[in-house]
Amino acid sequence: MASPAETTRLALVTGSTGLLGRAICHRLAREGFDLCLGYARSGEAAEQLAEELSASSGVTCSTLGFDVTSAKDVQAAVGQLAESRGRVDVLVAAHGVAPLALLRFTREDDIQNAFRINAEGTVHCVSAVLPVMQRQNWGRIVILSSAAAEGRTGQAVYAASKSALRGLIQSAAREYAAYGVTLNSVAPAVVEGNPATQSDQREKLLSDYPLGRFVTPDEVAAATAFLVSDEAATMTGQNLIIDGGRF
């Protein structure tokens, strides 16, 4: 198998059609990565994005539909990708849901859904790509976490589902370091373009940010691009918080 330095690297991005997923795909395409756009239900949007990226950056883009909450589905999808393309160099787990409610008002189905998608779904994706990356002796995994994992009012369940990823990242980073695989997370605060930034609560939210503005999708994408680069080769098991000074 050719080393990543000898071939174009392939990145699988889950949640590819979301606000952050799209920005990350555009950034990685500009960096020269071939892309596989993972989606759950937005197949048409993923196809349109793939065409857009191929036209603008000249990279090879494909789409792949699968349910992150099903370990069997994820394993089959990653296996199909690895067999057809010969490798999977990068995983960016950008899928997620964000139930927003005070803890005592959070519905049981929202609790279960948050953990199934944000926590279990990410475990499934990471577990599926690690054997492929181990065989390659090279891999980069970046998980989209959230600054809310540090604790935010009205986000207890969301915070819990995202903070669970810290143990996954730090443990797997130790387990696979010897194979040239790194695992890190990017944890943004409220991102510009999020519905909350376009509501009547915008100014109130902004008052919590010393820098006076929200994080942009492109800034999250830039951090992700750094973590999958050769320059970040010795950075693993880390959580990069991007919160505009709201710590």
Side-chain angles (χ1 to χ4, degrees):
M1 180 178 290
S3 72
E6 298 169 340
T7 186
T8 300
R9 291 171 179 167
L10 173 64
L12 169 61
V13 181
T14 66
S16 60
T17 61
L19 178 65
L20 294 179
R22 288 183 64 89
I24 290 167
C25 287
H26 275 283
R27 178 58 184 256
L28 294 184
R30 291 198 300 273
E31 298 285 337
F33 285 84
D34 284 344
L35 291 164
C36 179
L37 311 185
Y39 67 90
R41 293 179 296 275
S42 52
E44 184 176 343
E47 290 289 349
Q48 291 175 349
L49 178 59
E51 293 177 6
E52 179 183 334
L53 293 169
S54 295
S56 62
S57 301
V59 297
T60 300
C61 291
S62 60
T63 62
L64 190 60
F66 56 93
D67 177 8
V68 298
T69 68
S70 166
K72 183 178 180 180
D73 206 24
V74 175
Q75 289 285 349
V78 171
Q80 174 187 331
L81 178 62
E83 182 176 354
S84 63
R85 299 298 300 275
R87 62 188 312 109
V88 180
D89 299 296
V90 171
L91 167 68
V92 179
H95 62 270
V97 293
L100 304 179
L102 293 174
L103 182 57
R104 68 191 184 96
F105 296 124
T106 306
R107 300 180 306 177
E108 180 63 25
D109 58 341
D110 286 335
I111 296 172
Q112 294 179 356
N113 199 44
F115 278 91
R116 288 183 67 227
I117 294 174
N118 297 348
E120 292 179 33
T122 303
V123 170
H124 294 156
C125 292
V126 172
S127 296
V129 300
L130 278 173
V132 181
M133 294 178 174
Q134 181 178 355
R135 290 195 297 270
Q136 298 167 177
N137 274 310
W138 199 95
R140 299 283 186 268
I141 296 174
V142 178
I143 295 171
L144 267 290
S145 182
S146 172
E150 302 296 315
R152 296 287 187 269
T153 301
Q155 300 183 47
V157 170
Y158 178 57
S161 68
K162 287 294 190 178
S163 62
L165 301 175
R166 290 296 301 134
L168 167 66
I169 292 165
Q170 291 184 318
S171 297
R174 289 178 178 273
E175 293 174 6
Y176 286 85
Y179 302 103
V181 179
T182 67
L183 295 92
N184 296 286
S185 58
V186 175
V190 175
V191 176
E192 189 70 69
N194 179 298
T197 69
Q198 301 166 351
S199 71
D200 56 6
Q201 297 296 307
R202 178 182 176 88
E203 294 307 315
K204 182 175 183 295
L205 287 171
L206 274 175
S207 67
D208 287 336
Y209 291 82
L211 287 180
R213 66 176 180 83
F214 297 117
V215 180
T216 69
D218 285 344
E219 288 168 336
V220 178
T224 303
F226 167 68
L227 290 174
V228 304
S229 71
D230 289 329
E231 286 78 7
T234 59
M235 189 170 180
T236 192
Q238 303 304 308
N239 183 43
L240 189 55
I241 299 175
I242 309 174
D243 66 354
R246 188 192 179 191
F247 45 81

